[in-house]
Amino acid sequence: LDYQHVQVPFEITLWIMLASLAKIAFHLYNKLPSVVPESCLLIFVGLIMGGIIYGLNDKSPPVMDSDIFFLYLLPPIVLDAGYFMPSRPFFENIGTILLYAVVGTIWNVFGIGFSLYGICQVRAFGLRDVSLLHNLLFGSLIAAVDPVAVLAVFEEIHVNEKLHILVFGESLLNDAVTVVLYKLFRSFCEMPAIKTMDVFAGVGKFFVVGIGGVLVGLTFGMTAAFTTRFTKDIRVIEPLFVFLYSYLSYLTAEMFHLSGIVAIIACAMGMKRYVEANISLKSHTTVKYFMKMWSSVSDTLIFIFLGVSTIGENHEWNWPYIFFTVIFCLIWRALGVLVLTFFVNRFHINTVTSKDQFIIAYGGLRGAICFSLVFLLPDFRRKKLFIAATTVVILFTVFAQGMTIRPLVDLLHVKRKRESAPTVGEQIHIRFLDHLLAGIEDISGHWGQYYWKDKLEYFNSKYLQKFLLREYDQPKSSIVLLYEKLERKHAIELAEAGQLGHAPSHPSLLCSVFLCSHNDRTVITEKKSEDALHPDGLEDIQEILARNLYRIRRTGPAYSRHTLPGETEPVEQAQEILILQRRSL
Amino acid sequence: LDYQHVQVPFEITLWIMLASLAKIAFHLYNKLPSVVPESCLLIFVGLIMGGIIYGLNDKSPPVMDSDIFFLYLLPPIVLDAGYFMPSRPFFENIGTILLYAVVGTIWNVFGIGFSLYGICQVRAFGLRDVSLLHNLLFGSLIAAVDPVAVLAVFEEIHVNEKLHILVFGESLLNDAVTVVLYKLFRSFCEMPAIKTMDVFAGVGKFFVVGIGGVLVGLTFGMTAAFTTRFTKDIRVIEPLFVFLYSYLSYLTAEMFHLSGIVAIIACAMGMKRYVEANISLKSHTTVKYFMKMWSSVSDTLIFIFLGVSTIGENHEWNWPYIFFTVIFCLIWRALGVLVLTFFVNRFHINTVTSKDQFIIAYGGLRGAICFSLVFLLPDFRRKKLFIAATTVVILFTVFAQGMTIRPLVDLLHVKRKRESAPTVGEQIHIRFLDHLLAGIEDISGHWGQYYWKDKLEYFNSKYLQKFLLREYDQPKSSIVLLYEKLERKHAIELAEAGQLGHAPSHPSLLCSVFLCSHNDRTVITEKKSEDALHPDGLEDIQEILARNLYRIRRTGPAYSRHTLPGETEPVEQAQEILILQRRSL
């Protein structure tokens, strides 16, 4: 037996295997995941594992290594989040998200830090040696809402898209602020005296870290898109580039002390549309599938390790401090959301309702990022107290808030995600309105989001696409691409239902709609063509639209870690087509 | 700048990136890969890289770590090889392959070892201190034909399937023999005296290592198949299990000093059919794609590292020894193939022709396995000589033989791979013959391969499938599955060509063929059914078959690392369908 030799890969494989098997086990009992979020169950598994290890070895089980977390476990989740980010709601609410992420996080850090310092002044608690700076440092790591925990809970409760993107976007973008404040306070702790200059330098760093991350990410994203121009003869390594470049963007940003999370999100969002156009359909399936798979496994491992690391003797249980930490986390977040939303609502027509505000405040879950940061703290007398407080806050938010948020959403009748995704008709309408509003903004001289979106779109089609896309000579509208995708899916379902010959499909639909000419299928085969749009043709088109754009004509823009868009209920949909086709025959 | 922190993942990512970009660069110039095998180009890139590193640092560049090679780079390639192994030709020729792999390798080891010992006796060469045991040890590592190198060359020259599987199968299965002999001689080198017992124990170990590997592999393969029974609700992690279990089988085998290569091949071949039936279509695409991608990248990295490691000061250039090593490798392999094939041909009707024998002997390429084994040798005085000789043999076989084998294949008019894959008709025929021959063997009492195949098939359908497949209630013939696959592909192509409505496809074809009843499409929709098979119906079926089983009805059984089956020329095929359909309209 030569275990030493294979130990490292063997143990890694076994951990991943355990995580995957745990996932399968939960999904075998369908009732369990609908009551308790998966994250709680996984932490529970981790606690049991940790208990077993502790019991057998009689020493604390290994804690999650911060390096492993930041270098290997976090990037897949963030990449997945960035790649599947619904870009429209994200950019529509970017102002609000940034306000929550930057101002909100700073508010929380200082709020929690100063109030805890106040608690430390109470002689009875025996905490007088914890300085203000240490409290602020602790505040900076405990204030950050965790994207992994937020995703794990929010993708199960299906709130409306705007609310989802506000919480989720905040949790992703606050990384830049957390990194800066955490490093700032940590270096202040080690400095003998703090000058005013240092504070201003710290403020300046926000912009460097955030914008630097975006720039690094976009650079790598564009390089990735450019590289996939040349992979036509060697399709099998296409998916690799998506992963390699995004990972490099993360590592490069981390190397220069920029925000890796922001970089990888910028990279994924930047490259997505170009890469998708360049690579083959199978490569794209592989990219999507592997991203989901990796992020799902990483996420599972993180929660299991969180559970394992909780067990042991790393904690100093000073209950007043821990209790007030939980309370202040809740209070300052609630206050922050109230105040910030008040300002946001003054400038927006589509306001954030008070129910939404409650869910935003309540959904501020803490997770593995706080946990890793607290272990990265330099050794000092009260480190174990901070570890204990962080552990309790994480467990409280994940268990208490995570498990009650679903009943609360039901109770408050929070607006849910619309069940049906926008139809092709709606999408055309939205695009039309975008153009119209861009024109209005241009005329009125108010340069809002539509104006900038239009400019970006122009720049994209004028320069970027030529440079980054392989087949630029045939630029396809996203609606044409969508139609092609749907048609392909439709064909597969027909083939699987054994009904290929029956399909009353209309390949010329696109011509009819976009060229506004009456080219029905039968007309094409008879090699005739009429240029005028006469009433019969219109009726024909409307009938085709009514039949073809029925429920199957959907896209799935909503984000979920565990399913790929368009994966749900193929059987039901196929049956629907069959019924439809029977009727039309 | 904090490079230390991200160094490990950053450098790994950069190496993979370099490998991928090198691959793209070669494929951009279409002429180059058709003359020089990719493996040679990659070694060349490695030599340049090594030269640069050597020039800049003024010390030898890092050699490929044997652990990295055996634990991380080799498994993906072997997994890919095992998973896509054409099982029919493999099992039809298993006897011949085993003969070449076991007896042939032993023959080569002892032949090369003893002849080199003879050379060492020549006083003028100054090699009298190299003992017989050291020569045999060297023989055991240099005799093994390398699967990576063989694949890289043979998948580009498209020889006939039997010849391909003979060389490729031998290169995979000789791992068990190499492992045993290498470890045996290495321990003999360290032992003060060798007893007869030890020699017999060594012989016994062959069987333990080989059969043990098969058992470990099959165990993990069956567990993998069983696990995928329960992944219905969580499709995204399905591909993971394929990779995790095969990797675990490899590591477990290595841990117990069994043959990891044999284990992973047994695991992949064992689980393939069950896993494919259990997992979703998208998961399967991902599995196939990722396997190809990983093996392709591993392969690229191996050849680049081979080149890099060649540069440096690890070599002792004793030219007579090196020269005779190359000569003896060639001679003993040629002799071995001649003698063994003589015996093989006496027992087979379908003989190995003399041209095939030449290609088998000439295709015995050495590669990274030899290279890693020679670096794993314990330190002794002549290690650098062995390293030099191994390097030269590898470079000679990869460059000289690898580059000339294609012209030789052309020159000798070696039988090529058939261009068109078997049609459905042929496949039915083959299956029918299998049953017939199994029956004949059963009656005649000659228990040959057909008898055992039939028994295995019976055991499979009676016990294994029930246990390992999720939807056992609907067991599907492989021909039905093939038809479904083709129908799906067909549908996609039609949809992509915008011709979905035109397709004269016949979903009831299968019923017609298998139930032998006349259920044409129009008949089904009219809810009529006739039980008798009347002449009109037969004609109808024949016409449908002729139209539907035309060239598009293909499967691609041949092995290639860079393409997935069915990926070639979709445009051409779609055009064909269109032409066909025009005609039928």
Side-chain angles (χ1 to χ4, degrees):
Chain A
L1 193 75
D2 183 10
Y3 183 61
Q4 284 294 316
H5 179 56
V6 297
Q7 187 177 12
V8 176
F10 196 75
E11 285 182 0
I12 293 173
T13 315
L14 278 187
W15 273 111
I16 299 177
M17 185 73 98
L18 170 79
S20 315
L21 291 178
K23 258 191 138 65
I24 288 188
F26 297 151
H27 280 264
L28 276 186
Y29 299 95
N30 284 322
K31 279 180 192 164
L32 206 58
S34 66
V35 182
V36 188
E38 210 181 87
S39 45
C40 300
L41 291 173
L42 291 169
I43 290 184
F44 199 70
V45 169
L47 288 173
I48 294 172
M49 291 283 304
I52 294 172
I53 297 174
Y54 191 43
L56 291 179
N57 289 359
D58 209 25
K59 64 178 181 183
S60 302
V63 293
M64 178 158 54
D65 189 305
S66 297
D67 263 3
I68 290 180
F69 173 74
F70 281 113
L71 290 183
Y72 305 107
L73 293 176
L74 190 58
I77 298 177
V78 182
L79 172 62
D80 176 60
Y83 197 83
F84 290 97
M85 176 90 81
S87 60
R88 197 184 166 86
F90 179 75
F91 283 113
E92 268 175 2
N93 296 299
I94 184 79
T96 317
I97 293 172
L98 280 177
L99 197 70
Y100 285 143
V102 179
V103 183
T105 307
I106 297 175
W107 166 285
N108 276 311
V109 169
F110 284 95
I112 296 170
F114 280 111
S115 348
L116 281 177
Y117 182 63
I119 296 299
C120 291
Q121 301 317 306
V122 179
R123 194 179 295 258
F125 297 155
L127 290 161
R128 299 204 62 166
D129 60 320
V130 185
S131 70
L132 175 62
L133 216 47
H134 275 128
N135 273 315
L136 284 174
L137 178 58
F138 180 63
S140 76
L141 68 88
I142 204 74
V145 174
D146 188 79
V148 183
V150 165
L151 260 183
V153 167
F154 270 71
E155 73 186 15
E156 288 180 6
I157 60 175
H158 306 292
V159 293
N160 65 73
E161 207 164 35
K162 187 180 171 184
L163 181 51
H164 186 234
I165 203 75
L166 285 181
V167 183
F168 181 43
E170 181 205 337
S171 71
L172 285 172
L173 298 189
N174 68 18
D175 177 60
V177 181
T178 312
V179 167
V180 172
L181 285 181
Y182 178 76
K183 288 187 178 157
L184 197 71
F185 289 127
R186 210 176 61 176
S187 54
F188 282 177
C189 283
E190 284 156 5
M191 274 198 273
I194 301 156
K195 291 176 198 151
T196 331
M197 264 301 287
D198 296 327
V199 178
F200 280 106
V203 175
K205 259 193 138 181
F206 281 132
F207 298 96
V208 175
V209 167
I211 295 168
V214 171
L215 289 181
V216 167
L218 285 181
T219 311
F220 278 97
M222 293 300 116
T223 321
F226 184 69
T227 310
T228 52
R229 267 189 75 163
F230 305 102
T231 51
K232 201 180 175 184
D233 295 322
I234 182 149
R235 293 284 192 194
V236 277
I237 57 169
E238 280 175 342
L240 202 64
F241 287 109
V242 175
F243 299 112
L244 287 180
Y245 279 109
S246 13
Y247 194 42
L248 275 184
S249 77
Y250 181 84
L251 293 176
T252 310
E254 289 285 311
M255 196 159 70
F256 291 106
H257 296 289
L258 306 173
S259 167
I261 293 184
V262 171
I264 207 167
I265 286 174
C267 178
M269 291 181 87
M271 76 178 156
K272 190 183 180 193
R273 61 191 290 180
Y274 306 108
V275 167
E276 273 185 21
N278 279 337
I279 68 179
S280 79
L281 189 72
K282 277 186 180 172
S283 299
H284 193 217
T285 305
T286 307
V287 167
K288 287 193 292 184
Y289 227 86
F290 237 78
M291 239 173 229
K292 291 275 168 215
M293 200 177 87
W294 259 341
S295 75
S296 175
V297 169
S298 281
D299 167 84
T300 311
L301 283 175
I302 288 172
F303 285 115
I304 288 184
F305 279 138
L306 258 185
V308 171
S309 311
T310 304
I311 306 287
E313 288 151 1
N314 293 314
H315 309 286
E316 182 195 334
W317 300 110
N318 182 311
W319 285 109
Y321 194 82
I322 293 172
F323 173 75
F324 279 107
T325 306
V326 175
I327 296 295
F328 288 140
C329 280
L330 289 175
I331 289 176
W332 284 103
R333 180 159 177 87
L335 279 178
V337 170
L338 276 179
V339 172
L340 289 177
T341 317
F342 174 75
F343 287 107
V344 167
N345 280 348
R346 290 192 63 173
F347 296 101
H348 281 78
I349 299 164
N350 186 6
T351 56
V352 181
T353 65
S354 50
K355 282 175 192 171
D356 285 356
Q357 288 175 43
F358 176 76
I359 296 296
I360 293 174
Y362 203 74
L365 307 181
R366 268 68 162 184
I369 289 186
C370 306
F371 199 78
S372 302
L373 288 178
V374 81
F375 273 100
L376 278 181
L377 284 180
D379 273 322
F380 69 104
R381 225 172 63 81
R382 292 292 191 167
K383 188 176 172 182
K384 286 191 173 181
L385 171 64
F386 285 179
I387 292 177
T390 310
T391 308
V392 171
V393 170
I394 292 171
L395 292 186
F396 178 80
T397 54
V398 172
F399 276 88
Q401 292 177 221
M403 283 169 73
T404 51
I405 198 165
R406 190 202 301 257
L408 278 173
V409 165
D410 289 338
L411 203 74
L412 292 172
H413 300 291
V414 173
K415 204 176 146 209
R416 296 303 184 90
K417 197 168 71 182
R418 54 183 290 182
E419 276 302 304
S420 58
T423 61
V424 174
E426 276 179 281
Q427 291 194 355
I428 296 174
H429 193 69
I430 289 170
R431 167 132 353 155
F432 171 71
L433 272 179
D434 282 359
H435 278 290
L436 195 70
L437 285 167
I440 291 173
E441 285 188 351
D442 206 10
I443 292 167
S444 67
H446 168 78
W447 293 348
Q449 58 170 333
Y450 294 102
Y451 174 80
W452 287 111
K453 199 181 163 192
D454 204 57
K455 279 276 172 256
L456 202 68
E457 213 43 70
Y458 177 76
F459 176 71
N460 171 47
S461 63
K462 185 97 177 172
Y463 304 105
L464 280 181
Q465 285 194 346
K466 277 183 198 161
F467 187 60
L468 299 176
L469 292 189
R470 186 186 301 144
E471 289 161 351
Y472 180 64
D473 45 347
Q474 298 168 326
K476 278 178 181 169
S477 155
S478 63
I479 292 184
V480 178
L481 290 174
L482 170 69
Y483 183 84
E484 282 182 4
K485 195 175 129 196
L486 289 170
E487 198 67 358
R488 210 181 289 123
K489 193 174 135 195
H490 182 68
I492 292 176
E493 280 160 359
L494 285 180
E496 278 172 354
Q499 297 280 331
L500 197 55
H502 294 235
S505 175
H506 294 262
S508 58
L509 173 60
L510 283 168
C511 316
S512 320
V513 174
F514 288 92
L515 304 179
C516 284
S517 69
H518 172 226
N519 291 339
D520 204 357
R521 179 165 64 95
T522 49
V523 183
I524 281 184
T525 50
E526 285 162 35
K527 305 264 183 295
K528 281 182 203 166
S529 172
E530 293 172 36
D531 286 319
L533 183 72
H534 67 75
D536 279 6
L538 253 183
E539 259 179 48
D540 222 359
I541 292 167
Q542 276 166 359
E543 196 225 316
I544 294 167
L545 276 169
R547 210 163 56 206
N548 282 282
L549 301 182
Y550 185 64
R551 279 189 58 198
I552 183 169
R553 300 275 171 253
R554 279 184 204 161
T555 49
Y559 182 89
S560 157
R561 189 126 28 85
H562 302 293
T563 56
L564 284 163
E567 203 187 34
T568 46
E569 310 152 22
V571 180
E572 197 190 285
Q573 290 188 340
Q575 278 174 348
E576 263 179 42
I577 311 171
L578 291 187
I579 294 164
L580 239 83
Q581 264 133 32
R582 286 275 151 70
R583 214 177 286 155
S584 73
L585 281 173
Chain B
L1 192 76
D2 183 10
Y3 184 62
Q4 286 293 316
H5 179 57
V6 297
Q7 187 177 12
V8 177
F10 197 74
E11 286 182 359
I12 293 174
T13 316
L14 277 187
W15 273 111
I16 299 177
M17 185 72 97
L18 171 79
S20 315
L21 291 178
K23 257 191 139 64
I24 287 188
F26 297 151
H27 281 265
L28 276 186
Y29 299 95
N30 284 323
K31 279 179 193 166
L32 207 58
S34 66
V35 182
V36 189
E38 210 181 87
S39 44
C40 299
L41 291 172
L42 291 168
I43 290 184
F44 199 70
V45 169
L47 288 172
I48 295 171
M49 292 284 303
I52 294 172
I53 297 174
Y54 191 43
L56 291 179
N57 290 359
D58 209 25
K59 62 177 183 183
S60 302
V63 294
M64 176 159 55
D65 190 307
S66 298
D67 264 3
I68 290 180
F69 174 74
F70 282 114
L71 291 183
Y72 306 107
L73 293 177
L74 190 57
I77 298 177
V78 182
L79 173 62
D80 177 60
Y83 197 82
F84 290 97
M85 176 91 82
S87 59
R88 197 184 166 85
F90 179 74
F91 284 113
E92 269 175 3
N93 297 298
I94 185 79
T96 318
I97 293 172
L98 279 177
L99 197 70
Y100 285 143
V102 179
V103 183
T105 307
I106 297 174
W107 165 285
N108 276 310
V109 170
F110 285 95
I112 296 171
F114 280 112
S115 346
L116 281 176
Y117 183 61
I119 294 299
C120 292
Q121 301 318 305
V122 179
R123 193 179 296 257
F125 297 155
L127 290 159
R128 298 203 63 167
D129 59 319
V130 186
S131 70
L132 176 61
L133 217 47
H134 275 127
N135 272 314
L136 283 173
L137 178 58
F138 180 62
S140 77
L141 69 89
I142 204 74
V145 174
D146 187 79
V148 183
V150 165
L151 260 183
V153 167
F154 270 70
E155 73 186 15
E156 288 180 6
I157 60 175
H158 306 294
V159 294
N160 65 75
E161 207 163 37
K162 187 179 172 185
L163 181 51
H164 186 229
I165 203 75
L166 285 182
V167 183
F168 180 42
E170 181 207 335
S171 71
L172 285 172
L173 298 189
N174 69 18
D175 177 60
V177 181
T178 312
V179 167
V180 171
L181 285 181
Y182 176 78
K183 288 187 177 157
L184 197 71
F185 288 129
R186 210 175 60 176
S187 55
F188 282 177
C189 281
E190 285 157 3
M191 274 198 270
I194 302 156
K195 291 174 199 154
T196 330
M197 264 302 287
D198 297 325
V199 178
F200 280 106
V203 174
K205 256 193 140 182
F206 281 131
F207 298 97
V208 176
V209 167
I211 295 167
V214 171
L215 288 181
V216 167
L218 285 181
T219 311
F220 277 97
M222 294 300 115
T223 321
F226 184 69
T227 311
T228 52
R229 268 189 74 163
F230 304 102
T231 51
K232 201 180 174 185
D233 295 322
I234 181 148
R235 293 284 192 192
V236 278
I237 58 168
E238 280 176 343
L240 202 63
F241 287 109
V242 175
F243 298 112
L244 286 180
Y245 278 109
S246 12
Y247 193 44
L248 275 184
S249 77
Y250 181 85
L251 293 177
T252 310
E254 288 286 310
M255 197 159 70
F256 291 106
H257 296 288
L258 305 174
S259 167
I261 293 184
V262 171
I264 207 167
I265 287 175
C267 177
M269 291 182 85
M271 75 178 155
K272 190 184 180 190
R273 63 190 289 178
Y274 306 109
V275 167
E276 273 185 21
N278 279 338
I279 68 180
S280 78
L281 189 72
K282 278 187 181 172
S283 299
H284 193 217
T285 305
T286 307
V287 168
K288 287 192 292 183
Y289 228 85
F290 237 76
M291 241 174 228
K292 291 273 167 217
M293 200 178 87
W294 259 341
S295 75
S296 176
V297 168
S298 281
D299 168 81
T300 312
L301 283 174
I302 287 172
F303 284 115
I304 289 184
F305 280 139
L306 259 185
V308 171
S309 311
T310 304
I311 305 288
E313 288 151 1
N314 293 314
H315 309 286
E316 182 195 335
W317 299 109
N318 183 312
W319 284 110
Y321 194 82
I322 292 171
F323 173 76
F324 280 109
T325 307
V326 174
I327 297 296
F328 288 141
C329 280
L330 289 175
I331 290 176
W332 284 104
R333 179 157 179 88
L335 279 177
V337 170
L338 277 178
V339 172
L340 290 176
T341 317
F342 174 75
F343 287 108
V344 167
N345 280 348
R346 290 190 62 172
F347 296 101
H348 281 80
I349 299 165
N350 186 5
T351 56
V352 182
T353 65
S354 51
K355 284 175 189 173
D356 285 356
Q357 288 175 42
F358 176 76
I359 296 297
I360 292 173
Y362 202 76
L365 307 182
R366 268 67 164 184
I369 290 187
C370 306
F371 198 79
S372 303
L373 287 177
V374 81
F375 273 99
L376 279 180
L377 284 180
D379 273 323
F380 69 104
R381 225 172 63 81
R382 292 292 191 166
K383 187 176 174 183
K384 286 192 172 180
L385 171 64
F386 286 179
I387 292 176
T390 310
T391 308
V392 171
V393 169
I394 292 171
L395 292 186
F396 179 80
T397 54
V398 172
F399 276 87
Q401 292 178 220
M403 283 170 73
T404 52
I405 199 164
R406 192 203 300 256
L408 278 173
V409 166
D410 290 339
L411 203 73
L412 292 172
H413 300 291
V414 173
K415 204 177 148 207
R416 296 301 184 91
K417 198 167 73 184
R418 56 183 289 181
E419 277 301 303
S420 58
T423 60
V424 175
E426 277 179 281
Q427 291 193 353
I428 296 174
H429 193 70
I430 289 169
R431 169 142 338 168
F432 171 70
L433 273 180
D434 282 359
H435 278 290
L436 195 69
L437 285 168
I440 291 173
E441 284 188 352
D442 207 8
I443 293 167
S444 68
H446 167 78
W447 292 348
Q449 57 171 330
Y450 294 101
Y451 174 81
W452 287 112
K453 200 183 162 189
D454 203 59
K455 279 275 172 260
L456 202 67
E457 215 40 70
Y458 176 77
F459 177 71
N460 171 46
S461 63
K462 185 98 179 174
Y463 304 105
L464 280 182
Q465 285 195 344
K466 275 184 199 160
F467 187 61
L468 299 176
L469 292 190
R470 185 186 300 143
E471 288 161 351
Y472 180 64
D473 44 348
Q474 299 168 324
K476 278 177 183 170
S477 155
S478 63
I479 291 184
V480 178
L481 290 174
L482 170 70
Y483 184 84
E484 281 182 5
K485 195 173 127 196
L486 290 170
E487 198 67 1
R488 210 180 291 123
K489 195 174 135 195
H490 181 69
I492 292 175
E493 281 160 0
L494 285 179
E496 278 172 355
Q499 296 282 333
L500 197 54
H502 294 236
S505 176
H506 295 260
S508 57
L509 173 61
L510 282 168
C511 316
S512 320
V513 174
F514 287 94
L515 305 178
C516 284
S517 69
H518 172 225
N519 291 339
D520 204 357
R521 178 165 64 95
T522 48
V523 184
I524 281 184
T525 49
E526 287 164 34
K527 305 263 183 296
K528 281 184 203 163
S529 173
E530 293 172 36
D531 286 321
L533 182 71
H534 69 74
D536 279 7
L538 252 184
E539 258 179 47
D540 222 359
I541 292 168
Q542 274 165 3
E543 196 225 318
I544 295 166
L545 275 170
R547 212 163 55 207
N548 282 282
L549 301 182
Y550 186 62
R551 280 190 58 199
I552 183 168
R553 300 274 172 254
R554 283 187 203 157
T555 48
Y559 181 89
S560 157
R561 187 126 29 85
H562 302 293
T563 56
L564 285 163
E567 204 188 35
T568 47
E569 311 150 22
V571 180
E572 198 191 285
Q573 289 190 340
Q575 278 174 349
E576 264 180 41
I577 311 170
L578 292 186
I579 294 166
L580 241 83
Q581 263 132 34
R582 285 276 149 70
R583 214 177 285 154
S584 72
L585 282 174

